[in-house]
Amino acid sequence: MAAENSKQFWKRSAKLPGSIQPVYGAQHPPLDPRLTKNFIKERSKVNAVPLKNKKASSFHEFARNTSDAWDIGDDEEEDFSSPSFQTLNSKVALATAAQVLENHSKLRMKPERSQSTTSDVPASYKVIKSSSDAQLSRNSSDTCLRNPLHKQQSLPLRPIIPLVARISDQNASGAPPMTVREKTRLEKFRQLLSSHNTDLDELRKCSWPGVPREVRPVTWRLLSGYLPANTERRKLTLQRKREEYFGFIEQYYDSRNEEHHQDTYRQIHIDIPRTNPLIPLFQQPLVQEIFERILFIWAIRHPASGYVQGINDLVTPFFVVFLSEYVEEDVENFDVTNLSQDMLRSIEADSFWCMSKLLDGIQDNYTFAQPGIQKKVKALEELVSRIDEQVHNHFRRYEVEYLQFAFRWMNNLLMRELPLRCTIRLWDTYQSEPEGFSHFHLYVCAAFLIKWRKEILDEEDFQGLLMLLQNLPTIHWGNEEIGLLLAEAYRLKYMFADAPNHYRR
């Protein structure tokens, strides 16, 4: 049955496997007609004409149900000559026009009021943003009254970076002034880190709800086990480990051209340009050379697994965090050639060692047949069957296997599903939680899946479900959404981790 469904899926698809197609996901967002959602519903009531080919339009159905980036060209596909567009209430149209004229006259009478608030907008058009979304948007002192049905325009001072490619909620150029609470937390971190022997348990406790940007590099080194708790030993440890890494470079890196290493190096060389393609930082040749060295040396030193696609993503959070130690401005656009050779060597070596520490705890994810991932996907299936039987049965009804979407969640630690800024915040908690990457990640994935239960239950075919699960709309996510996700994951862990019989019926 599954084989027949697979054949039918490819018959319905316009493209053949292996052909070049648009890529969607957290880093390549699909369309977002949420602003016209009510209008579409009304239109469907007035003009309920059955589709000629329902299967062929499944992608458009998916696009209409996602809440992601608005596409400028959506309205070009609408047929404005259809009867549904000609049944507008003339009284409503006249009233709306009068309201627009009145608003414009008020603005002209009060030119000194340069900042408009959402109170001028009709209640039905208000869009409530999360606090993290508000931090991500540029602070503009001359924001004008926006038409809620038009794409928001902005005039950034820097090259345009898509929202998904903005690395942190705490970018120096766009972050609001620190609150008293944030200053207090930062001061507590600095006291912990400067003590003669850092209390790692207390540091984990403080880091669970997020690490301030200013102290994140040293905190991550400590939590990953790369740096010792004793402050007097840290400088010598860093010097020794960095020299050791570049010793590996001298010893092994030239072997990349040897026959038995050519396949490994070739795959790494192919994957590096695909890493975060929307962020200019990772498209710089010097950065790509650093990533190639890190991944090749790790693969050579871990022959049991070697290099596996997906490991390249795991370098990026460490690289960004350690780069931020030397960069005050936005990291996304920073030209690394402005850094000294010593700084670049330090960032490269620290990224290598911290990534190695992470992979040591999940190496069975990348050995032959990837047994670690298969176990985690099976555990996710059992967990979801207990916490939301309706979603689980919905997958079974349409023959959706968890491995078809959750494999990537486990292999890439949700990095393909979330913007990089969210991954960095997520890893603050993973490094604070015992076995965060290997164990707690399971409960994060379960919470992440249930977060989309309404959208999942709205899809009623195999293709629509897979497209949704592989392209979840998280482009607007920030610290607040990740905090809620982690809280729900902790609740699930508290309920099920120490009671494995709850998995069983």
Side-chain angles (χ1 to χ4, degrees):
M1 190 68 181
E4 291 178 4
N5 283 338
S6 178
K7 291 179 181 178
Q8 291 299 322
F9 170 74
W10 292 118
K11 286 181 181 179
R12 293 196 300 268
S13 299
K15 300 285 185 179
L16 294 175
S19 60
I20 299 175
Q21 301 182 51
V23 179
Y24 296 98
Q27 298 179 10
H28 304 277
L31 313 181
D32 179 13
R34 59 182 158 181
L35 297 176
T36 57
K37 186 177 181 182
N38 294 331
F39 176 73
I40 291 172
K41 287 182 178 179
E42 292 297 325
R43 181 184 177 189
S44 62
K45 291 178 182 178
V46 175
N47 188 23
V49 179
L51 295 173
K52 291 181 180 180
N53 188 351
K54 189 174 186 301
K55 292 182 179 179
S57 65
S58 60
F59 173 75
H60 298 289
E61 291 173 4
F62 159 69
R64 285 197 290 270
N65 285 318
T66 55
S67 53
D68 214 329
W70 172 269
D71 185 83
I72 301 174
D74 282 351
D75 50 3
E76 295 174 2
E77 298 177 5
E78 300 290 352
D79 182 8
F80 290 99
S81 63
S82 64
S84 60
F85 282 92
Q86 300 171 7
T87 57
L88 294 175
N89 189 313
S90 59
K91 292 182 180 180
V92 174
L94 288 172
T96 304
Q99 183 66 39
V100 170
L101 290 172
E102 183 181 350
N103 287 340
H104 276 282
S105 63
K106 286 180 181 179
L107 288 173
R108 297 181 71 175
M109 291 172 64
K110 297 180 180 181
E112 68 277 4
R113 183 184 175 187
S114 61
Q115 292 187 355
S116 300
T117 62
T118 54
S119 61
D120 296 322
V121 185
S124 62
Y125 289 155
K126 284 189 179 180
V127 178
I128 300 173
K129 290 186 177 183
S130 66
S131 58
S132 57
D133 195 2
Q135 289 179 13
L136 286 170
S137 61
R138 297 281 182 185
N139 292 333
S140 175
S141 60
D142 57 347
T143 305
C144 297
L145 182 68
R146 296 185 182 92
N147 183 336
L149 295 181
H150 284 75
K151 185 178 179 180
Q152 179 178 337
Q153 300 293 329
S154 60
L155 296 173
L157 298 176
R158 293 172 171 77
I160 296 174
I161 298 294
L163 177 62
V164 69
R166 297 186 197 169
I167 290 177
S168 175
D169 281 353
Q170 301 168 346
N171 279 342
S173 64
M178 292 180 68
T179 63
V180 174
R181 182 175 178 274
E182 289 169 342
K183 289 180 179 177
T184 304
R185 289 192 73 238
L186 178 58
E187 186 58 33
K188 185 170 184 179
F189 269 94
R190 284 175 171 159
Q191 289 177 1
L192 276 170
L193 297 172
S194 61
S195 60
H196 182 68
N197 281 299
T198 300
D199 186 343
L200 294 180
D201 289 335
E202 185 65 23
L203 184 62
R204 290 188 185 96
K205 183 179 177 182
C206 292
S207 301
W208 207 100
V211 181
R213 182 179 188 268
E214 295 83 355
V215 294
R216 186 174 274 138
V218 65
T219 301
W220 277 27
R221 291 187 190 105
L222 284 164
L223 293 179
S224 65
Y226 174 44
L227 269 189
N230 187 287
T231 52
E232 295 177 355
R233 295 173 50 208
R234 289 178 192 170
K235 186 176 181 180
L236 288 175
T237 300
L238 282 177
Q239 183 180 348
R240 177 174 56 82
K241 297 296 284 185
R242 288 167 180 171
E243 289 176 355
E244 185 178 354
Y245 168 72
F246 284 99
F248 295 151
I249 295 290
E250 293 178 6
Q251 183 177 358
Y252 299 117
Y253 195 58
D254 287 341
S255 67
R256 66 188 184 280
N257 296 318
E258 295 177 4
E259 185 176 353
H260 57 291
H261 289 153
Q262 278 182 352
D263 290 342
T264 297
Y265 180 72
R266 178 180 171 276
Q267 189 60 59
I268 292 172
H269 190 73
I270 290 172
D271 288 346
I272 293 299
R274 301 173 180 170
T275 306
N276 294 290
L278 294 179
I279 302 179
L281 172 68
F282 299 112
Q283 303 311 308
Q284 298 177 38
L286 185 55
V287 173
Q288 294 185 356
E289 289 172 12
I290 289 172
F291 276 44
E292 283 184 2
R293 287 195 293 269
I294 289 173
L295 294 170
F296 184 76
I297 296 303
W298 188 88
I300 293 298
R301 297 188 72 245
H302 295 82
S305 61
Y307 173 76
V308 177
Q309 285 182 299
I311 295 179
N312 55 305
D313 288 326
L314 305 184
V315 186
T316 54
F318 292 115
F319 184 83
V320 167
V321 167
F322 297 139
L323 176 62
S324 68
E325 197 169 19
Y326 304 99
V327 179
E328 292 292 333
E329 58 190 278
D330 294 350
V331 177
E332 303 98 311
N333 289 308
F334 185 75
D335 184 356
V336 296
T337 58
N338 293 326
L339 294 178
S340 68
Q341 189 66 23
D342 287 341
M343 290 177 180
L344 288 172
R345 287 168 64 90
S346 298
I347 293 168
E348 179 177 347
D350 293 355
S351 299
F352 169 81
W353 286 115
C354 288
M355 185 198 74
S356 297
K357 292 285 186 181
L358 185 163
L359 289 171
D360 285 347
I362 56 172
Q363 184 145 2
D364 61 341
N365 285 7
Y366 305 106
T367 54
F368 178 73
Q370 299 181 271
I373 290 179
Q374 303 212 33
K375 289 177 184 176
K376 289 181 177 71
V377 170
K378 183 63 177 175
L380 177 66
E381 181 177 356
E382 293 174 350
L383 182 58
V384 172
S385 71
R386 298 300 294 161
I387 63 179
D388 199 323
E389 189 173 6
Q390 189 177 4
V391 168
H392 179 71
N393 289 337
H394 193 70
F395 287 153
R396 294 183 65 182
R397 178 182 178 185
Y398 295 105
E399 300 182 344
V400 174
E401 299 291 337
Y402 283 76
L403 201 63
Q404 290 168 328
F405 63 89
F407 179 89
R408 189 172 74 181
W409 295 10
M410 302 299 178
N411 190 58
N412 300 82
L413 299 177
L414 287 177
M415 286 195 64
R416 298 286 177 89
E417 276 53 55
L418 299 171
L420 184 52
R421 60 179 178 272
C422 294
T423 299
I424 290 172
R425 167 62 191 91
L426 189 67
W427 285 20
D428 287 342
T429 300
Y430 278 5
Q431 296 191 87
S432 309
E433 185 76 20
E435 298 182 321
F437 292 99
S438 59
H439 185 61
F440 187 61
H441 180 67
L442 167 66
Y443 299 97
V444 172
C445 288
F448 186 66
L449 180 63
I450 301 306
K451 162 77 178 173
W452 310 103
R453 76 180 309 275
K454 181 181 181 301
E455 290 82 355
I456 289 169
L457 295 175
D458 285 345
E459 292 292 341
E460 296 184 348
D461 61 66
F462 173 83
Q463 184 178 356
L465 279 167
L466 273 193
M467 293 185 72
L468 171 65
L469 291 166
Q470 293 175 358
N471 304 279
L472 292 166
T474 60
I475 183 175
H476 296 287
W477 277 33
N479 286 350
E480 182 180 343
E481 289 78 11
I482 294 299
L484 292 172
L485 179 70
L486 288 167
E488 177 62 16
Y490 185 81
R491 185 184 73 84
L492 293 175
K493 179 192 172 189
Y494 186 82
M495 290 174 62
F496 291 96
D498 296 324
N501 286 333
H502 287 187
Y503 285 138
R504 305 184 182 90
R505 298 186 178 279

